[in-house]
Amino acid sequence: MQKLVRGLLPVSLVAVSLATSATAQTELRMMWYNDGIEGEVMQGILDRFEEANPDISVTLDVVPYKSVLESLPVQLASGQGPDIARVTDLGGLSQYYLDLTPYISDPSYWQENFGPFLKWLDPQGEAISGFMTQLTVTGPYVNKTLFEQAEVEMPGEGATWDDWATAVVEVADKLEIPIPMAWDRSGHRVAGPAISMGAQMFDAEGNPALVDDGLKAMAQRLYDWHQDGTMSKELWGSVSGNTYLGANEDFANAQVVMYMSGSWQIPQFADKIGDAFDWWAVPAPCGPAACTGMPGGAALVAIKDTEHPEEVGKLMDFLTQEENLAEFYGKTLFIPGHLGLAKGGVEFATDDPRAKHALETFAGAVPTISPIAFDLQGYVNNRIMFNALISRLGEAIVGELTLDEAYERMTDDVAKQLAEKGRQ
Amino acid sequence: MADPATLTMSERLTALVALPARMVFQVLEYPLMLIQRLVGIRGMPWVFLLPNLAFFGIFVVIPLFINFAFSLTGGTQLFLADRVYTGTEQYAYLFDCGNYLDPTTCREDRFWKGIFNTSVFIFFQVSFLVLFSLITALILNQKIRARGFFRAVYFFPVLLSPVVVALIWKWILLRDGVLNAFLVWLGFDKILFFVSPEWAMFWAIFVSIWAHMGFYTLILLAGLQAIAPDLYEAAEMDGTSRERVFWRITLPLLWPNMLVVIVLALIKGVQIFDEVFVLTGGGPGTATQFIVQYIYNTGFTQQVQNFGLAAAASVVLGVVLFVLTMIQLAVTRRRDNG
């Protein structure tokens, strides 16, 4: 028995010392969602960070995007959130962000390289809360191979939404493709084309004013396209409320001629479609007021309830080093959210000419983005507007409301939610 | 204690298996005696009920009161103490309607659409669920071949998670799903089931019946087996027709079980959420958006998470469920009292 105790003693001591060293390590939790391979790329960079900082461990909690939209706000409100999170409701969650200024080594580097986007994260102030893991621009993709097979000419620069609708229907009819045109079921996706049609989104005092003639012009088109079969009701008509649905799978399976989505689909299409057909990003179609998409993106932000702000600052400093961000943007095929890298150019890790063309198209679209679109993206309550738009338009498309009733309800929904939010 | 040497092998094994339980009882004996001395023998049932009551109180009763308190507040703050007291404003908003039978005249049209859809769902789902469960129970009560196998088959969907059930059916019903492939093979056109409000409601009801029928069939089967065979033998000797036997013997004697099934199905029907949420997402439009989904959407999926309005709607739902539960209790009591 004594022998057994003597034998076990050293083992126990080693175990205790290991446990002690493990508990001495600071653990940071990062909430993350994936569109493509960015989780893998981020994990590689985090591994290097942990190697260089053995006293800090970072756990990448990969969750569905829906959790970031719906669960994260509740977690943050209850003070139970992660230390860092990847978010897309950039301004909407700003009350929960940590101002990293005291914890990062060189705030001027951040101002210089992330300056315009920091405003999206803190519309009211000057805080440095995080950085953009990707900039996105909404815009359409077309299946160029189908156009070639149908011998229909693709509308060129300056083509309107109506031109594209006519062309894609012709292609679909000739080749019996089930869905001529598909749009993500998202208010953000509709906003760019609506602004192209003349939507102002805000009144003269800067208050949200969702419904105007510009928005009605685009909404009417979407409604008509669903009724005449240009768009399938499967996407917009098959779910309720503000549920997001994408047509990426259908597009990748060559079931869609034109797909209105955005630059974040590039890595996925490069991976899934490859050279099966020519998927081609095209410039945002035009309306009478503009030819614009919507800017947007995802940001990695520090959360103010963290118990380890120093370590979070250290990690953020590491992640935003140019070589790390260049690697991240390059491997993920994301449009850089770092001005220095955007200027100098990132070497994207792809030989796929379609992916390269898409990246060029979306990056080239940035200067054509309407100022209204930038204002809308920076507006803290933009999701209230997007959700009202998508849910009520969806109800009109399936025949539950007339378009006029839908406009009325959109206005009411926005007013009601803003009033509720204002009750503090 | 018996002499171990005199015990048989089976008795020794039994003693060995019972040993841990015996040790536990020995450990508990002293504290329990102490408690009994303190609370008296009449207080002991309460001591045994206490853990369950505490669990029920913490996870059911207290949240119920918190929910009610939330329904009297507004704003977006999560903690009750930080929220703005609004009195019955949320209820007034929910019930602000031009015509309660026409949801489009109500300020919160989706709440009333949810109630309307839930009512339609309950009417058809409960009616057909009870009918099909009864027919299945009657068949499974006959001396048919592989009766045990069929009983298991009908019960199997009950064991599946509602999400799994909904996903299986969703894959079957999609544009490129198995059912459409079969329709095309038969020479028909594909049907976009989730785009048509009628089809979406039909499949929501169908899938729900498919998933839950086994459970209710089992209750009715137990009721059928409790009917004394002498009654059927006497009826047969009298030359009573099968229809008459069913209407005059089986159904009246099965009626208490039927009532339990109806009330349970009603309660489950009002609570419907997970299966339909995964299957149709509440669409097309709001055609299959039921009351629980309305509460979920209002409280969690909007940018402004309106906990106050969601809580008020869930209080209304709670009242409906309370009434149904009272009916069920009354029915059960009546049955138990003969």
Side-chain angles (χ1 to χ4, degrees), chain B residues 7 76 97 119 140 158 233 244 295:
Chain B
L7 293 176
T76 56
C97 251
S119 308
L140 291 179
V158 178
E233 282 165 18
R244 199 171 165 78
I295 294 168

Side-chain angles (χ1 to χ4, degrees), chain B residues 7 284 322 324:
Chain B
L7 293 176
F322 180 77
L324 289 175

Side-chain angles (χ1 to χ4, degrees), chain A residues 90-91 114-127 378-380:
Chain A
L90 307 178
F114 306 112
F117 315 120
L118 296 176
K119 262 276 175 240
W120 287 358
L121 299 174
D122 183 21
Q124 315 299 334
E126 300 286 317
Y379 177 52
V380 173

Side-chain angles (χ1 to χ4, degrees), chain A residues 70 74 77-78 89 179 233-234 237-238 240 250 255 380 383-384 391-392 395 398 400 409 417 420 423-424, chain B residues 74-78 89 104 106-107 109-110 175 280-281 284-287 289 293 296 301-304:
Chain A
E70 293 172 14
V74 181
S78 64
D89 186 8
I179 308 174
K233 284 185 184 173
E234 270 175 286
S238 69
S240 71
D250 284 324
Q255 302 286 295
V380 173
R383 267 189 66 215
I384 293 179
S391 55
R392 294 304 183 177
E395 288 169 27
V398 298
E400 290 182 355
R409 289 284 182 186
Q417 293 211 40
E420 199 63 37
R423 257 207 287 227
Q424 300 297 346
Chain B
T76 56
Q77 299 296 323
L78 185 63
E89 200 181 299
T104 58
C106 301
R107 272 190 85 189
D109 57 330
R110 285 176 183 146
R175 175 160 46 94
T280 67
T286 54
Q289 183 180 293
Q293 193 187 340
Y296 169 72
T301 69
Q302 310 282 346
Q303 187 181 21
V304 175

Side-chain angles (χ1 to χ4, degrees), chain B residues 291-302:
Chain B
I291 189 69
V292 180
Q293 193 187 340
Y294 165 81
I295 294 168
Y296 169 72
N297 285 346
T298 307
F300 298 102
T301 69
Q302 310 282 346

Side-chain angles (χ1 to χ4, degrees), chain A residues 89-156:
Chain A
D89 186 8
L90 307 178
L93 299 172
S94 59
Q95 56 180 312
Y96 304 114
Y97 299 160
L98 171 73
D99 183 2
L100 284 166
T101 313
Y103 307 109
I104 48 179
S105 56
D106 184 7
S108 63
Y109 167 82
W110 285 67
Q111 292 289 359
E112 198 179 310
N113 290 294
F114 306 112
F117 315 120
L118 296 176
K119 262 276 175 240
W120 287 358
L121 299 174
D122 183 21
Q124 315 299 334
E126 300 286 317
I128 297 174
S129 308
F131 67 93
M132 302 297 288
T133 55
Q134 70 190 118
L135 271 189
T136 59
V137 184
T138 62
Y141 296 86
V142 293
N143 186 326
K144 199 174 158 202
T145 305
L146 292 179
F147 272 91
E148 287 160 5
Q149 286 173 352
E151 294 176 344
V152 173
E153 202 179 326
M154 269 173 44

Side-chain angles (χ1 to χ4, degrees), chain A residues 24-45:
Chain A
Q25 213 177 34
T26 302
E27 193 195 10
L28 300 180
R29 301 203 77 93
M30 183 187 287
M31 185 187 263
W32 189 267
Y33 72 91
N34 281 326
D35 276 328
I37 59 158
E38 63 267 36
E40 272 171 59
V41 180
M42 178 52 77
Q43 188 60 63
I45 299 171

